[in-house]
Structure formats: structure tokens, C-alpha cells
Amino acid sequence: MRSASEAAIICNILSMSFLQKENFQVSLELLHKAVSLTEEGDRYRAVTYNNFACVFRRTKKLRSALSYLEKALEIEYNYLHFSE
């Protein structure tokens, strides 16, 4: 049985594959699943937020893309400065 983190990684990989094929709906569904598999502040959640930004950039929703990049940056910043 795979861990939630491994499943989140797989969802992210598949999501980016669907993004390359311009299947944005499936890509977003997979990213939402990845969020449900990760916890607040989890580095895999930061990767997922970055991937959301990629989808929104490709669909010309730049404010949403920026919002997700800011969320990813906050997680990464906290991870670098406050984790042991």
C-alpha cells in the first residue's frame, strides 16, 4: 500500500502529463486530489501549488497562478526557516 505522500507525487506527475496534452480539467482534478492527500505545510503541497500555478498560467488565469505561487513560496520559506 502506498503512502499518501507517494500518491500525491503520482497525482502531480500525472497532472503535469495531462497539462502537456492540454487536458486542463483532468489536470486540475488530479491536483485537487493531491491537495487532499497532503497536509498544510507539507513540501508536497508546495509542489502541488506550484503545479496549480502552471495550469493557471497556461489557461491565462494569471492572478490565480500568482496566488498559488505565493502559497507555494510560503510553504517553502517556512520549511527552510522553521523545520529541523
Side-chain angles (χ1 to χ4, degrees):
M1 182 173 193
R2 295 194 186 281
S3 72
S5 294
E6 289 172 326
I9 292 167
I10 292 168
C11 286
N12 273 284
I13 292 168
L14 289 172
S15 174
M16 293 298 95
S17 177
F18 280 99
L19 176 61
Q20 288 178 338
K21 296 174 184 174
E22 296 188 356
N23 190 336
F24 305 118
Q25 181 178 348
V26 173
S27 182
L28 288 171
E29 289 172 7
L30 286 162
L31 292 174
H32 284 293
K33 180 67 175 174
V35 167
S36 73
L37 293 167
T38 56
E39 297 179 18
E40 280 293 321
D42 187 332
R43 289 193 81 190
Y44 296 118
R45 171 109 20 127
V47 171
T48 302
Y49 285 160
N50 183 74
N51 289 341
F52 266 114
C54 293
V55 174
F56 289 127
R57 182 181 54 84
R58 289 278 300 277
T59 58
K60 307 280 193 265
K61 296 178 182 173
L62 300 181
R63 289 188 196 277
S64 293
L66 179 59
S67 174
Y68 276 97
L69 286 173
E70 289 170 341
K71 290 177 184 185
L73 180 61
E74 180 179 356
I75 292 169
E76 289 291 343
Y77 178 85
N78 289 334
Y79 185 82
L80 289 172
H81 289 88
F82 302 112
S83 67
E84 298 177 332

mmCIF file of all heavy atoms in Angstrom, residues 49-83:
data_model
loop_
_atom_site.group_PDB
_atom_site.id
_atom_site.type_symbol
_atom_site.label_atom_id
_atom_site.label_comp_id
_atom_site.label_asym_id
_atom_site.label_seq_id
_atom_site.Cartn_x
_atom_site.Cartn_y
_atom_site.Cartn_z
ATOM 1 N N TYR A 49 0.893 23.171 -5.291
ATOM 2 C CA TYR A 49 0.507 24.565 -5.541
ATOM 3 C C TYR A 49 1.269 25.141 -6.731
ATOM 4 O O TYR A 49 0.719 25.885 -7.534
ATOM 5 C CB TYR A 49 0.740 25.421 -4.299
ATOM 6 C CG TYR A 49 -0.269 25.213 -3.196
ATOM 7 C CD1 TYR A 49 0.035 25.592 -1.893
ATOM 8 C CD2 TYR A 49 -1.524 24.660 -3.427
ATOM 9 C CE1 TYR A 49 -0.884 25.435 -0.870
ATOM 10 C CE2 TYR A 49 -2.434 24.490 -2.407
ATOM 11 C CZ TYR A 49 -2.115 24.884 -1.129
ATOM 12 O OH TYR A 49 -3.030 24.734 -0.112
ATOM 13 N N ASN A 50 2.539 24.800 -6.844
ATOM 14 C CA ASN A 50 3.309 25.250 -7.997
ATOM 15 C C ASN A 50 2.707 24.705 -9.292
ATOM 16 O O ASN A 50 2.620 25.421 -10.294
ATOM 17 C CB ASN A 50 4.765 24.806 -7.862
ATOM 18 C CG ASN A 50 5.605 25.312 -9.004
ATOM 19 O OD1 ASN A 50 5.925 26.484 -9.069
ATOM 20 N ND2 ASN A 50 5.957 24.422 -9.931
ATOM 21 N N ASN A 51 2.281 23.453 -9.266
ATOM 22 C CA ASN A 51 1.674 22.856 -10.451
ATOM 23 C C ASN A 51 0.321 23.487 -10.780
ATOM 24 O O ASN A 51 -0.013 23.654 -11.952
ATOM 25 C CB ASN A 51 1.571 21.340 -10.285
ATOM 26 C CG ASN A 51 2.929 20.677 -10.346
ATOM 27 O OD1 ASN A 51 3.894 21.252 -10.844
ATOM 28 N ND2 ASN A 51 3.027 19.474 -9.820
ATOM 29 N N PHE A 52 -0.450 23.858 -9.742
ATOM 30 C CA PHE A 52 -1.678 24.621 -9.981
ATOM 31 C C PHE A 52 -1.337 25.905 -10.743
ATOM 32 O O PHE A 52 -2.021 26.280 -11.689
ATOM 33 C CB PHE A 52 -2.356 25.007 -8.663
ATOM 34 C CG PHE A 52 -3.409 24.059 -8.186
ATOM 35 C CD1 PHE A 52 -3.222 23.339 -7.016
ATOM 36 C CD2 PHE A 52 -4.607 23.911 -8.863
ATOM 37 C CE1 PHE A 52 -4.197 22.479 -6.535
ATOM 38 C CE2 PHE A 52 -5.601 23.055 -8.396
ATOM 39 C CZ PHE A 52 -5.387 22.332 -7.229
ATOM 40 N N ALA A 53 -0.271 26.569 -10.318
ATOM 41 C CA ALA A 53 0.148 27.808 -10.979
ATOM 42 C C ALA A 53 0.476 27.560 -12.447
ATOM 43 O O ALA A 53 0.140 28.375 -13.308
ATOM 44 C CB ALA A 53 1.346 28.418 -10.253
ATOM 45 N N CYS A 54 1.096 26.446 -12.741
ATOM 46 C CA CYS A 54 1.412 26.104 -14.132
ATOM 47 C C CYS A 54 0.138 25.964 -14.970
ATOM 48 O O CYS A 54 0.070 26.465 -16.092
ATOM 49 C CB CYS A 54 2.220 24.803 -14.201
ATOM 50 S SG CYS A 54 3.869 24.914 -13.517
ATOM 51 N N VAL A 55 -0.852 25.285 -14.406
ATOM 52 C CA VAL A 55 -2.122 25.113 -15.125
ATOM 53 C C VAL A 55 -2.777 26.472 -15.357
ATOM 54 O O VAL A 55 -3.216 26.782 -16.469
ATOM 55 C CB VAL A 55 -3.077 24.175 -14.360
ATOM 56 C CG1 VAL A 55 -4.449 24.128 -15.030
ATOM 57 C CG2 VAL A 55 -2.494 22.772 -14.261
ATOM 58 N N PHE A 56 -2.835 27.290 -14.318
ATOM 59 C CA PHE A 56 -3.492 28.589 -14.450
ATOM 60 C C PHE A 56 -2.741 29.524 -15.392
ATOM 61 O O PHE A 56 -3.349 30.314 -16.110
ATOM 62 C CB PHE A 56 -3.721 29.219 -13.080
ATOM 63 C CG PHE A 56 -4.791 28.525 -12.295
ATOM 64 C CD1 PHE A 56 -4.554 28.073 -11.014
ATOM 65 C CD2 PHE A 56 -6.044 28.300 -12.847
ATOM 66 C CE1 PHE A 56 -5.540 27.423 -10.289
ATOM 67 C CE2 PHE A 56 -7.043 27.650 -12.133
ATOM 68 C CZ PHE A 56 -6.787 27.212 -10.845
ATOM 69 N N ARG A 57 -1.415 29.424 -15.407
ATOM 70 C CA ARG A 57 -0.648 30.231 -16.361
ATOM 71 C C ARG A 57 -0.985 29.822 -17.792
ATOM 72 O O ARG A 57 -1.187 30.664 -18.663
ATOM 73 C CB ARG A 57 0.857 30.080 -16.104
ATOM 74 C CG ARG A 57 1.711 30.937 -17.044
ATOM 75 C CD ARG A 57 3.191 30.744 -16.790
ATOM 76 N NE ARG A 57 3.607 29.352 -16.833
ATOM 77 C CZ ARG A 57 3.918 28.693 -17.941
ATOM 78 N NH1 ARG A 57 3.861 29.277 -19.120
ATOM 79 N NH2 ARG A 57 4.303 27.429 -17.877
ATOM 80 N N ARG A 58 -1.054 28.518 -18.021
ATOM 81 C CA ARG A 58 -1.374 28.025 -19.376
ATOM 82 C C ARG A 58 -2.785 28.392 -19.818
ATOM 83 O O ARG A 58 -3.055 28.507 -21.002
ATOM 84 C CB ARG A 58 -1.213 26.502 -19.453
ATOM 85 C CG ARG A 58 0.212 26.014 -19.408
ATOM 86 C CD ARG A 58 0.914 26.073 -20.758
ATOM 87 N NE ARG A 58 0.291 25.291 -21.784
ATOM 88 C CZ ARG A 58 0.458 23.992 -21.992
ATOM 89 N NH1 ARG A 58 1.243 23.294 -21.192
ATOM 90 N NH2 ARG A 58 -0.157 23.395 -22.980
ATOM 91 N N THR A 59 -3.695 28.556 -18.853
ATOM 92 C CA THR A 59 -5.081 28.899 -19.182
ATOM 93 C C THR A 59 -5.321 30.406 -19.061
ATOM 94 O O THR A 59 -6.460 30.852 -19.046
ATOM 95 C CB THR A 59 -6.071 28.118 -18.295
ATOM 96 O OG1 THR A 59 -5.814 28.404 -16.926
ATOM 97 C CG2 THR A 59 -5.981 26.628 -18.565
ATOM 98 N N LYS A 60 -4.244 31.161 -18.940
ATOM 99 C CA LYS A 60 -4.281 32.628 -18.906
ATOM 100 C C LYS A 60 -5.003 33.196 -17.682
ATOM 101 O O LYS A 60 -5.508 34.309 -17.704
ATOM 102 C CB LYS A 60 -4.935 33.186 -20.183
ATOM 103 C CG LYS A 60 -4.323 32.678 -21.479
ATOM 104 C CD LYS A 60 -3.057 33.406 -21.819
ATOM 105 C CE LYS A 60 -2.614 33.142 -23.235
ATOM 106 N NZ LYS A 60 -1.655 32.082 -23.349
ATOM 107 N N LYS A 61 -5.041 32.446 -16.593
ATOM 108 C CA LYS A 61 -5.614 32.921 -15.331
ATOM 109 C C LYS A 61 -4.446 33.314 -14.428
ATOM 110 O O LYS A 61 -4.088 32.617 -13.479
ATOM 111 C CB LYS A 61 -6.489 31.841 -14.705
ATOM 112 C CG LYS A 61 -7.692 31.511 -15.564
ATOM 113 C CD LYS A 61 -8.526 30.408 -14.963
ATOM 114 C CE LYS A 61 -9.694 30.091 -15.887
ATOM 115 N NZ LYS A 61 -10.447 28.928 -15.455
ATOM 116 N N LEU A 62 -3.862 34.460 -14.759
ATOM 117 C CA LEU A 62 -2.595 34.842 -14.154
ATOM 118 C C LEU A 62 -2.715 35.218 -12.678
ATOM 119 O O LEU A 62 -1.802 34.955 -11.898
ATOM 120 C CB LEU A 62 -1.963 35.979 -14.959
ATOM 121 C CG LEU A 62 -1.681 35.629 -16.422
ATOM 122 C CD1 LEU A 62 -1.025 36.803 -17.130
ATOM 123 C CD2 LEU A 62 -0.818 34.377 -16.536
ATOM 124 N N ARG A 63 -3.822 35.816 -12.275
ATOM 125 C CA ARG A 63 -3.996 36.140 -10.850
ATOM 126 C C ARG A 63 -4.059 34.864 -10.016
ATOM 127 O O ARG A 63 -3.477 34.792 -8.931
ATOM 128 C CB ARG A 63 -5.242 36.983 -10.624
ATOM 129 C CG ARG A 63 -5.116 38.399 -11.131
ATOM 130 C CD ARG A 63 -6.312 39.241 -10.706
ATOM 131 N NE ARG A 63 -6.419 40.467 -11.458
ATOM 132 C CZ ARG A 63 -5.760 41.571 -11.189
ATOM 133 N NH1 ARG A 63 -4.911 41.594 -10.192
ATOM 134 N NH2 ARG A 63 -5.938 42.651 -11.922
ATOM 135 N N SER A 64 -4.762 33.875 -10.514
ATOM 136 C CA SER A 64 -4.827 32.588 -9.807
ATOM 137 C C SER A 64 -3.450 31.941 -9.770
ATOM 138 O O SER A 64 -3.045 31.376 -8.738
ATOM 139 C CB SER A 64 -5.825 31.659 -10.491
ATOM 140 O OG SER A 64 -7.131 32.164 -10.355
ATOM 141 N N ALA A 65 -2.732 32.007 -10.875
ATOM 142 C CA ALA A 65 -1.376 31.443 -10.921
ATOM 143 C C ALA A 65 -0.493 32.099 -9.865
ATOM 144 O O ALA A 65 0.208 31.410 -9.110
ATOM 145 C CB ALA A 65 -0.775 31.620 -12.314
ATOM 146 N N LEU A 66 -0.540 33.413 -9.788
ATOM 147 C CA LEU A 66 0.264 34.142 -8.813
ATOM 148 C C LEU A 66 -0.120 33.762 -7.387
ATOM 149 O O LEU A 66 0.740 33.559 -6.531
ATOM 150 C CB LEU A 66 0.122 35.647 -9.018
ATOM 151 C CG LEU A 66 0.901 36.530 -8.045
ATOM 152 C CD1 LEU A 66 2.388 36.236 -8.118
ATOM 153 C CD2 LEU A 66 0.618 37.995 -8.346
ATOM 154 N N SER A 67 -1.404 33.631 -7.151
ATOM 155 C CA SER A 67 -1.882 33.260 -5.819
ATOM 156 C C SER A 67 -1.314 31.904 -5.387
ATOM 157 O O SER A 67 -0.853 31.740 -4.251
ATOM 158 C CB SER A 67 -3.408 33.225 -5.817
ATOM 159 O OG SER A 67 -3.894 32.738 -4.593
ATOM 160 N N TYR A 68 -1.321 30.937 -6.291
ATOM 161 C CA TYR A 68 -0.793 29.619 -5.959
ATOM 162 C C TYR A 68 0.726 29.636 -5.803
ATOM 163 O O TYR A 68 1.275 28.923 -4.955
ATOM 164 C CB TYR A 68 -1.237 28.568 -6.975
ATOM 165 C CG TYR A 68 -2.607 28.025 -6.644
ATOM 166 C CD1 TYR A 68 -3.740 28.521 -7.264
ATOM 167 C CD2 TYR A 68 -2.770 27.031 -5.683
ATOM 168 C CE1 TYR A 68 -4.999 28.044 -6.942
ATOM 169 C CE2 TYR A 68 -4.017 26.541 -5.359
ATOM 170 C CZ TYR A 68 -5.125 27.054 -5.990
ATOM 171 O OH TYR A 68 -6.368 26.570 -5.653
ATOM 172 N N LEU A 69 1.407 30.457 -6.587
ATOM 173 C CA LEU A 69 2.858 30.579 -6.417
ATOM 174 C C LEU A 69 3.199 31.170 -5.055
ATOM 175 O O LEU A 69 4.166 30.749 -4.402
ATOM 176 C CB LEU A 69 3.462 31.435 -7.534
ATOM 177 C CG LEU A 69 3.547 30.762 -8.896
ATOM 178 C CD1 LEU A 69 4.006 31.771 -9.942
ATOM 179 C CD2 LEU A 69 4.480 29.565 -8.853
ATOM 180 N N GLU A 70 2.397 32.139 -4.609
ATOM 181 C CA GLU A 70 2.629 32.726 -3.290
ATOM 182 C C GLU A 70 2.418 31.694 -2.183
ATOM 183 O O GLU A 70 3.178 31.654 -1.214
ATOM 184 C CB GLU A 70 1.718 33.939 -3.090
ATOM 185 C CG GLU A 70 2.133 35.129 -3.938
ATOM 186 C CD GLU A 70 1.121 36.266 -3.951
ATOM 187 O OE1 GLU A 70 -0.065 36.040 -3.614
ATOM 188 O OE2 GLU A 70 1.526 37.395 -4.298
ATOM 189 N N LYS A 71 1.406 30.852 -2.325
ATOM 190 C CA LYS A 71 1.164 29.794 -1.340
ATOM 191 C C LYS A 71 2.336 28.815 -1.309
ATOM 192 O O LYS A 71 2.784 28.394 -0.232
ATOM 193 C CB LYS A 71 -0.122 29.035 -1.675
ATOM 194 C CG LYS A 71 -1.386 29.824 -1.469
ATOM 195 C CD LYS A 71 -2.585 28.989 -1.901
ATOM 196 C CE LYS A 71 -3.881 29.766 -1.809
ATOM 197 N NZ LYS A 71 -5.050 28.922 -2.111
ATOM 198 N N ALA A 72 2.812 28.437 -2.489
ATOM 199 C CA ALA A 72 3.945 27.511 -2.565
ATOM 200 C C ALA A 72 5.190 28.128 -1.936
ATOM 201 O O ALA A 72 5.912 27.461 -1.176
ATOM 202 C CB ALA A 72 4.219 27.127 -4.016
ATOM 203 N N LEU A 73 5.421 29.392 -2.219
ATOM 204 C CA LEU A 73 6.589 30.084 -1.669
ATOM 205 C C LEU A 73 6.520 30.160 -0.148
ATOM 206 O O LEU A 73 7.528 29.954 0.533
ATOM 207 C CB LEU A 73 6.694 31.494 -2.264
ATOM 208 C CG LEU A 73 7.864 32.339 -1.794
ATOM 209 C CD1 LEU A 73 9.186 31.673 -2.154
ATOM 210 C CD2 LEU A 73 7.788 33.720 -2.413
ATOM 211 N N GLU A 74 5.344 30.415 0.387
ATOM 212 C CA GLU A 74 5.195 30.492 1.841
ATOM 213 C C GLU A 74 5.547 29.152 2.496
ATOM 214 O O GLU A 74 6.248 29.103 3.504
ATOM 215 C CB GLU A 74 3.770 30.892 2.207
ATOM 216 C CG GLU A 74 3.549 30.997 3.694
ATOM 217 C CD GLU A 74 2.133 31.413 4.071
ATOM 218 O OE1 GLU A 74 1.320 31.705 3.175
ATOM 219 O OE2 GLU A 74 1.856 31.432 5.282
ATOM 220 N N ILE A 75 5.077 28.066 1.907
ATOM 221 C CA ILE A 75 5.393 26.740 2.451
ATOM 222 C C ILE A 75 6.895 26.482 2.376
ATOM 223 O O ILE A 75 7.513 26.040 3.350
ATOM 224 C CB ILE A 75 4.617 25.638 1.704
ATOM 225 C CG1 ILE A 75 3.121 25.755 2.002
ATOM 226 C CG2 ILE A 75 5.136 24.248 2.097
ATOM 227 C CD1 ILE A 75 2.246 24.881 1.120
ATOM 228 N N GLU A 76 7.492 26.762 1.237
ATOM 229 C CA GLU A 76 8.932 26.533 1.076
ATOM 230 C C GLU A 76 9.736 27.402 2.043
ATOM 231 O O GLU A 76 10.712 26.938 2.643
ATOM 232 C CB GLU A 76 9.366 26.806 -0.367
ATOM 233 C CG GLU A 76 8.873 25.768 -1.348
ATOM 234 C CD GLU A 76 9.542 24.415 -1.182
ATOM 235 O OE1 GLU A 76 10.610 24.307 -0.548
ATOM 236 O OE2 GLU A 76 8.974 23.441 -1.705
ATOM 237 N N TYR A 77 9.338 28.668 2.198
ATOM 238 C CA TYR A 77 10.031 29.573 3.121
ATOM 239 C C TYR A 77 9.968 29.021 4.544
ATOM 240 O O TYR A 77 10.989 28.943 5.235
ATOM 241 C CB TYR A 77 9.406 30.968 3.056
ATOM 242 C CG TYR A 77 10.043 31.938 4.021
ATOM 243 C CD1 TYR A 77 11.196 32.636 3.669
ATOM 244 C CD2 TYR A 77 9.504 32.150 5.285
ATOM 245 C CE1 TYR A 77 11.795 33.511 4.558
ATOM 246 C CE2 TYR A 77 10.091 33.024 6.174
ATOM 247 C CZ TYR A 77 11.238 33.702 5.815
ATOM 248 O OH TYR A 77 11.829 34.562 6.698
ATOM 249 N N ASN A 78 8.764 28.636 4.968
ATOM 250 C CA ASN A 78 8.602 28.093 6.317
ATOM 251 C C ASN A 78 9.386 26.800 6.491
ATOM 252 O O ASN A 78 9.965 26.563 7.554
ATOM 253 C CB ASN A 78 7.119 27.870 6.636
ATOM 254 C CG ASN A 78 6.380 29.169 6.830
ATOM 255 O OD1 ASN A 78 6.957 30.192 7.190
ATOM 256 N ND2 ASN A 78 5.091 29.141 6.576
ATOM 257 N N TYR A 79 9.407 25.973 5.469
ATOM 258 C CA TYR A 79 10.153 24.715 5.546
ATOM 259 C C TYR A 79 11.646 24.985 5.732
ATOM 260 O O TYR A 79 12.298 24.354 6.562
ATOM 261 C CB TYR A 79 9.919 23.880 4.286
ATOM 262 C CG TYR A 79 10.567 22.530 4.359
ATOM 263 C CD1 TYR A 79 9.944 21.476 5.017
ATOM 264 C CD2 TYR A 79 11.812 22.300 3.779
ATOM 265 C CE1 TYR A 79 10.544 20.230 5.105
ATOM 266 C CE2 TYR A 79 12.418 21.054 3.868
ATOM 267 C CZ TYR A 79 11.779 20.039 4.525
ATOM 268 O OH TYR A 79 12.384 18.809 4.608
ATOM 269 N N LEU A 80 12.176 25.943 4.977
ATOM 270 C CA LEU A 80 13.606 26.244 5.058
ATOM 271 C C LEU A 80 13.997 26.910 6.378
ATOM 272 O O LEU A 80 15.081 26.679 6.895
ATOM 273 C CB LEU A 80 14.027 27.138 3.895
ATOM 274 C CG LEU A 80 14.058 26.475 2.533
ATOM 275 C CD1 LEU A 80 14.305 27.518 1.442
ATOM 276 C CD2 LEU A 80 15.126 25.402 2.478
ATOM 277 N N HIS A 81 13.106 27.735 6.918
ATOM 278 C CA HIS A 81 13.464 28.526 8.087
ATOM 279 C C HIS A 81 12.993 27.945 9.420
ATOM 280 O O HIS A 81 13.542 28.302 10.461
ATOM 281 C CB HIS A 81 12.943 29.941 7.919
ATOM 282 C CG HIS A 81 13.681 30.715 6.878
ATOM 283 N ND1 HIS A 81 13.312 30.696 5.555
ATOM 284 C CD2 HIS A 81 14.794 31.482 6.953
ATOM 285 C CE1 HIS A 81 14.158 31.439 4.861
ATOM 286 N NE2 HIS A 81 15.056 31.921 5.667
ATOM 287 N N PHE A 82 12.006 27.078 9.408
ATOM 288 C CA PHE A 82 11.434 26.629 10.663
ATOM 289 C C PHE A 82 11.428 25.121 10.863
ATOM 290 O O PHE A 82 10.985 24.640 11.893
ATOM 291 C CB PHE A 82 10.003 27.176 10.823
ATOM 292 C CG PHE A 82 9.965 28.676 10.762
ATOM 293 C CD1 PHE A 82 9.355 29.304 9.683
ATOM 294 C CD2 PHE A 82 10.530 29.445 11.762
ATOM 295 C CE1 PHE A 82 9.316 30.695 9.605
ATOM 296 C CE2 PHE A 82 10.507 30.826 11.690
ATOM 297 C CZ PHE A 82 9.899 31.452 10.628
ATOM 298 N N SER A 83 11.916 24.372 9.892
ATOM 299 C CA SER A 83 11.948 22.910 10.073
ATOM 300 C C SER A 83 13.296 22.502 10.649
ATOM 301 O O SER A 83 14.294 23.202 10.539
ATOM 302 C CB SER A 83 11.683 22.188 8.753
ATOM 303 O OG SER A 83 12.749 22.418 7.854
#
